[in-house]
Structures are given as structure tokens and as C-alpha cells.
Amino acid sequence: MLDTVRSSLAGYFEGANPTPPVHLGTRYDTSGNFLLEPGNTVVCHLIEGSPSQAAIIEVRERMLAMPDADRLVFTPISSLHMTLFQGIIEYRRRLPYWPADVALDTGIDDMTRLYLERLQGFEDRGAFKIKVVEVVPTGLTVAGASEEDRRVLRAWRDALSVPFGYRHPDHDTYVFHITFAYQIRRLADERVSAWQELFDNCLTLLDRQAPVIELRPPAFCSFRDMKHFEELLVLA
């Protein structure tokens, strides 16, 4: 069955990727409980009550209804967001995921206070629109709706790298996404067709009902786990 799966989906299935999910044991456990993993980040939350949020929730519900959805652990609807720039996180205390001018053992809360200071007076890089380009087991892959939107997204990331003090290795190739879930176990190979059909149908639904995803302005947030991202400073 794996010979029919799109390359972008193959890594979610047992035959193509038998390795354990990277965040299992630190971000969440095998029972589907989210674990303490404090950090900070810059995200755009979905606009509550918007048509595009309703369409995204419909896609999430369709995924939850799959008979093998117990292989996934889903985040709350209230936490749904697109990450614009990755901040620091407890289990990633190493360069280049941490500012070189700050000690690697600095407390997370201290780092959040430091970034709040550095982000005062931050000049935003303008508004942008995003669209969904693919549905995958963990959520939605998204991108700027136009070439100009993609340029603005790059400008935001470049600008934010200054106060944050680093550029991740994937800074220029970062794939924007809206996470619904994380894998507890890879999906069974014999389920490829069913999942791929679901994703194709969901992408059609989103193209029709949510050609542009409505987002709140970018905000610097703190979090203790993946269930809630507290907006501390709106950046636009």
C-alpha cells in the first residue's frame, strides 16, 4: 500500500518510518497526556468564530472520527495556531536554538521576561494571508496565499531573529503549519488509502470553505505545554 502514498505522507506510516515520534516522552506520553514542556514562541491564533476556523474544526472532527485516530493525541481547539517564529523551549537548550549571548541554563521564565524586553518597540512587517496546501495526520501544512504574502512571512522571520538572537537551521525553509495532533504510533500501512482519501476530501473542503485562513495578529506567547499558548505581547 505504501507505494501509492504521497511522499509527504509516507513518514507517518509504519512501513516507511518505524522510528518513534520525536516528541513522544517529552511533549506527550503513550496515554495521550500532554507533559510539561515550557517555552515561548510567536504564533497567530485562529480567529474564534470565523468561517475558516469552522472549516478547520470540521477537518479535525473528521480526523478524530477515523477508527485508528487513537494513534494520535489531539491538542485543544483553543490552542490551534500557526507558528510564525519558534522561541526557546525546555528540551532544546543548545545552539543554534538559543541566543548565544545568554547562558544555556537560564530559566524559561527569565527567558520570557528577557524577550518581552527585547520585543518592546518591535516594528511589525505587515499583514499577510495564508492558505492550506496539504492535510496530513498531524494537521495542516500552510503557506502564504500569494508570493507577496510569502515575502512578508520571510520578512517577519528575519526581523524576529534579531531580538530572539538566533536563526534555526531551517530558518529559510521552515514549513508553516497548524498542528492538530501528534503521533503516539505510526499509522498502519494498510490504512494508507483511507487516510489519503480523507486528506484529499478535507483539502477540497478547505479550498471551498476556507480559501484563506483567518488569523489573529502575531503575538509573543508563553506556554507550559501544548494545550495553551498565552498571548503576552501582540506584535502588530
Side-chain angles (χ1 to χ4, degrees):
M1 296 296 293
L2 278 178
D3 58 351
T4 64
V5 72
R6 288 192 295 273
S7 59
S8 56
L9 295 178
Y12 297 101
F13 289 88
E14 293 172 333
N17 187 10
T19 60
V22 63
H23 296 296
L24 182 61
T26 54
R27 184 161 294 179
Y28 56 96
D29 62 24
T30 55
S31 298
N33 301 304
F34 283 99
L35 306 174
L36 184 68
E37 189 186 20
N40 52 57
T41 185
V42 176
V43 310
C44 301
H45 282 103
L46 301 185
I47 294 180
E48 189 171 356
S50 64
S52 58
Q53 186 205 38
I56 287 172
I57 291 172
E58 170 64 21
V59 171
R60 181 180 179 276
E61 291 300 317
R62 291 187 184 190
M63 290 174 60
L64 273 165
M66 294 292 275
D68 47 346
D70 59 350
R71 295 191 178 211
L72 304 170
V73 52
F74 285 77
T75 58
I77 290 171
S78 61
S79 75
L80 294 178
H81 65 271
M82 184 198 79
T83 299
L84 184 59
F85 191 91
Q86 312 102 298
I88 53 91
I89 198 166
E90 181 60 47
Y91 298 113
R92 200 162 56 195
R93 290 177 173 270
R94 61 187 184 278
L95 302 178
Y97 305 98
W98 198 275
D101 60 339
V102 182
L104 291 171
D105 61 353
T106 303
I108 296 295
D109 290 342
D110 290 333
M111 291 298 297
T112 297
R113 284 190 287 269
L114 172 64
Y115 283 144
L116 275 172
E117 293 174 4
R118 290 186 177 185
L119 288 166
Q120 296 300 320
F122 177 82
E123 293 185 15
D124 74 80
R125 293 308 187 267
F128 54 83
K129 296 178 180 179
I130 66 163
K131 64 180 180 180
V132 177
V133 296
E134 189 173 23
V135 184
V136 298
T138 51
L140 309 176
T141 302
V142 301
S146 68
E147 180 54 43
E148 175 61 14
D149 292 313
R150 293 188 283 275
R151 184 198 66 77
V152 174
L153 285 166
R154 290 193 297 270
W156 270 96
R157 287 179 59 78
D158 288 345
L160 286 166
S161 71
V162 176
F164 278 88
Y166 52 73
R167 293 167 70 97
H168 288 190
D170 67 348
H171 179 87
D172 295 318
T173 58
Y174 182 75
V175 178
F176 295 100
H177 56 276
I178 297 173
T179 297
F180 290 177
Y182 295 93
Q183 286 198 295
I184 297 173
R185 289 188 294 155
R186 304 298 182 196
L187 299 173
D189 296 348
E190 61 268 22
R191 294 286 295 157
V192 163
S193 295
W195 279 98
Q196 193 158 261
E197 180 181 5
L198 172 73
F199 298 145
D200 290 343
N201 291 338
C202 286
L203 186 58
T204 298
L205 179 150
L206 290 166
D207 285 343
R208 183 176 65 252
Q209 298 186 14
V212 172
I213 304 302
E214 297 152 287
L215 298 174
R216 290 174 54 84
F220 176 63
C221 300
S222 65
F223 57 87
R224 310 307 294 176
D225 55 34
M226 294 298 112
K227 295 187 295 184
H228 179 69
F229 297 80
E230 184 70 22
E231 294 192 1
L232 303 177
L233 181 65
V234 177
L235 299 177

